[in-house]
Amino acid sequence: MKSLPYFCRGEVIRGFGRGSKELGIPTANFSDSVVDNLPADISTGIYYGWACVGNGDVHKMVMSIGWNPYYKNTKKSMETHVIHTFKEDFYGEVLSVVMVGYIRPERSYDSLEALIAAINNDIEEAKVNLELAEHLKLREDNFFTSISSTGLPTTTTASTSQTIMNGH
Ligand code: ADP
Ligand code: MG
């Protein structure tokens, strides 16, 4: 995929209560402005990369891009599971991510156990792959280090902060 690595940031909105948190795998949903800017060559499926909430630490992440059932599968959703234990929810905060690599396409599972096992495999694959030097260096990217105390980039204004920062 030519658009990888892909940098984006935007507000965390409420999802549709599909119970990710109950499975132990909460997924932070991006606002429509981020989803609508996704390049056409970024297909649905599971990605790995780096993520940071507000101006917090950069953590490993896995992201699912899929068709959103709430909009009768006409609209995509981007859901990020940050591989870190947070003390509190962060709805309304700015999430910054860089999608680094693609793991697999989406698929349906026969059981909840099979789904959870697949996600845990994705998390393990993300953890291992992100240790490669070429991926580790993205963690230190200016994209993350130039975030102010408001969680917005210091080099752009708030009104542009939710637009795609790719190719910066
Ligand atoms: P929703 O349907 O609203 O997305 P989830 O059950 O998927 O609900 O939980 C997602 C929310 O959980 C996020 O928006 C965020 O506020 C919170 N959260 C806490 N820890 C994490 C984490 N490690 N990764 C992603 N979201 C997290
Ligand atoms: Mg979610």
Side-chain angles (χ1 to χ4, degrees):
M1 270 173 242
K2 66 175 169 49
S3 296
L4 296 182
Y6 183 70
F7 295 82
C8 61
R9 65 163 53 93
E11 189 185 342
V12 175
I13 61 164
R14 289 199 176 264
F16 306 104
R18 277 180 284 177
S20 322
K21 204 175 287 170
E22 286 69 35
L23 303 182
I25 312 159
T27 59
N29 292 55
F30 266 128
S31 59
D32 287 350
S33 61
V34 178
V35 180
D36 292 344
N37 276 309
L38 213 51
D41 75 302
I42 300 271
S43 56
T44 58
I46 314 299
Y47 293 79
Y48 62 89
W50 300 104
C52 109
V53 177
N55 67 342
D57 294 339
V58 182
H59 301 287
K60 293 174 177 175
M61 67 80 169
V62 287
M63 182 195 285
S64 162
I65 298 182
W67 294 105
N68 198 324
Y70 187 82
Y71 293 101
K72 298 194 165 60
N73 297 339
T74 55
K75 212 175 190 346
K76 282 179 190 164
S77 71
M78 292 168 75
E79 303 190 20
T80 304
H81 172 67
V82 187
I83 305 175
H84 178 74
T85 304
F86 291 88
K87 290 200 191 74
E88 290 174 341
D89 286 349
F90 45 86
Y91 290 113
E93 294 205 40
V94 174
L95 176 68
S96 299
V97 307
V98 54
M99 291 157 59
V100 169
Y102 183 72
I103 300 180
R104 62 178 173 89
E106 282 196 299
R107 52 160 289 196
S108 56
Y109 293 91
D110 297 337
S111 68
L112 206 52
E113 289 71 30
L115 170 66
I116 295 172
I119 297 171
N120 283 324
N121 276 338
D122 297 335
I123 291 171
E124 287 314 307
E125 188 168 337
K127 283 182 178 170
V128 171
N129 286 355
L130 287 165
E131 290 300 321
L132 291 170
E134 60 175 306
H135 295 152
L136 276 174
K137 72 174 196 285
L138 287 166
R139 177 188 204 150
E140 317 299 331
D141 195 278
N142 254 338
F143 178 73
F144 292 120
T145 51
S146 64
I147 297 173
S148 74
S149 58
T150 60
L152 297 173
T154 52
T155 48
T156 52
T157 64
S159 64
T160 59
S161 67
Q162 294 188 11
T163 60
I164 296 301
M165 313 294 280
N166 206 33
H168 61 292

